[in-house]
Amino acid sequence: MRSPLRYLLGKTKLKKEFANLTARAGDRPGTVLIRGVPSGFADRVTEMALEVDPQGQIQRILINEADGSQTEFVFSGIQENLAVEDARFRFQPPPGVELIEGASVNP
């Protein structure tokens, strides 16, 4: 199954991505629960639900799979567009790891 990140980023059209799309009041006050079957995954996923707050942020993703398993992603304390210092993106290999450097490739 594709990553739920695509839904979190708002990079998808739900009407194109889901069959049998429905919406109702969510489990938490003020939220809406959007349910459907992801297109192309009917053999693996019986239903997927997105719980969305009044600001349009996804608070929960629930995936019911054909084998009876269930995967749930719950999001809280969401903060958008925070400044992150460059130092957080420095790679420090653990001791004993061999580094192999190659030429950069420009796309």
Side-chain angles (χ1 to χ4, degrees), residues 14-15 18-23 34-39 46-48:
L14 295 180
K15 287 184 179 181
F18 291 92
N20 303 320
L21 200 59
T22 64
I34 301 167
R35 296 175 179 258
V37 179
S39 300
T46 58
E47 184 179 69
M48 185 169 172

Side-chain angles (χ1 to χ4, degrees), residues 3-95:
S3 168
L5 182 61
R6 62 193 287 122
Y7 305 115
L8 295 172
L9 294 175
K11 300 294 184 190
T12 185
K13 300 269 187 216
L14 295 180
K15 287 184 179 181
K16 289 184 178 182
E17 295 281 337
F18 291 92
N20 303 320
L21 200 59
T22 64
R24 67 165 179 83
D27 297 334
R28 297 177 191 146
T31 62
V32 174
L33 194 63
I34 301 167
R35 296 175 179 258
V37 179
S39 300
F41 289 92
D43 60 327
R44 293 177 38 203
V45 177
T46 58
E47 184 179 69
M48 185 169 172
L50 306 172
E51 190 169 13
V52 182
D53 71 13
Q55 291 75 39
Q57 290 184 324
I58 296 175
Q59 299 295 309
R60 183 170 68 123
I61 299 174
L62 184 62
I63 304 167
N64 294 316
E65 300 193 37
D67 65 2
S69 63
Q70 192 175 69
T71 302
E72 182 177 28
F73 298 91
V74 178
F75 307 98
S76 62
I78 298 170
Q79 298 178 356
E80 295 181 2
N81 301 319
L82 295 177
V84 180
E85 63 277 2
D86 288 344
R88 304 253 341 230
F89 296 96
R90 302 279 185 238
F91 174 68
Q92 182 64 40

